[in-house]
Amino acid sequence: VRLRLALDGNALSLDVPSHRVGARAESSAGGAGLGLELLDELGRSLGVGTPDADGHLALEVRSDALGGPGAGRLALRTDGDTTRAPGRTEIPIVRTRASTIDLDAPERVAVGASARLGGRRHDVSGPLPERASGIFANGEHRGSVLTRADGN
């Protein structure tokens, strides 16, 4: 059995409610009726289904089931049946979540003068502790800072 996974891209935004994952099963006996399971990199089941007559299956996976932001994998597996062998395929993914920085800064800073900046970095789940943020002025990197435990 040959299995394939299809996504719109390998970056999956956790800011949207769900993602459509396409799967295809092929064999000399066809892929229809074969039990398929979608797993994450930890082996957690994200969905199960049976391909149509053409071997296609579409699964809708909730973003909150995918885990936190970071690198991961999606795997598609089948135990096969009496005429088709077991199979497995995997693809790399990156789970992303947008973050926001609420910046406290002076409205004007004289050229060459220093300025004190403050702010809070967060996403929809709350503060983002120990995250690096780059500081740029006129396209030039001026420094980087780490947020504290409270996201400030």
Side-chain angles (χ1 to χ4, degrees):
V1 173
R2 180 176 177 176
L3 301 174
R4 296 181 190 184
L5 280 167
L7 298 170
D8 287 338
N10 287 53
L12 300 176
S13 171
L14 299 175
D15 296 317
V16 298
S18 64
H19 295 275
R20 182 183 174 97
V21 179
R24 182 163 186 178
E26 300 171 323
S27 77
S28 58
L34 200 57
L36 301 179
E37 182 177 24
L38 183 68
L39 307 164
D40 69 7
E41 68 273 11
L42 298 177
R44 296 178 295 204
S45 183
L46 299 174
V48 295
T50 305
D52 64 17
D54 294 325
H56 295 276
L57 171 66
L59 295 167
E60 198 72 21
V61 179
R62 290 186 353 262
S63 291
D64 61 3
L66 290 170
R73 296 187 79 70
L74 289 180
L76 183 65
R77 64 171 292 279
T78 181
D79 289 333
D81 58 19
T82 57
T83 60
R84 297 173 286 193
R88 182 180 176 102
T89 191
E90 295 185 13
I91 59 171
I93 60 167
V94 177
R95 297 175 295 262
T96 64
R97 178 174 286 138
S99 65
T100 301
I101 297 176
D102 299 324
L103 188 62
D104 299 322
E107 281 194 37
R108 293 182 183 262
V109 177
V111 175
S114 63
R116 184 170 178 86
L117 305 175
R120 178 177 178 262
R121 187 167 175 189
H122 59 94
D123 65 16
V124 294
S125 65
L128 294 172
E130 299 177 0
R131 299 294 170 93
S133 296
I135 300 169
F136 294 81
N138 298 324
E140 183 179 325
H141 182 255
R142 300 296 178 120
S144 295
V145 295
L146 281 178
T147 58
R148 296 185 306 251
D150 61 0
N152 290 321

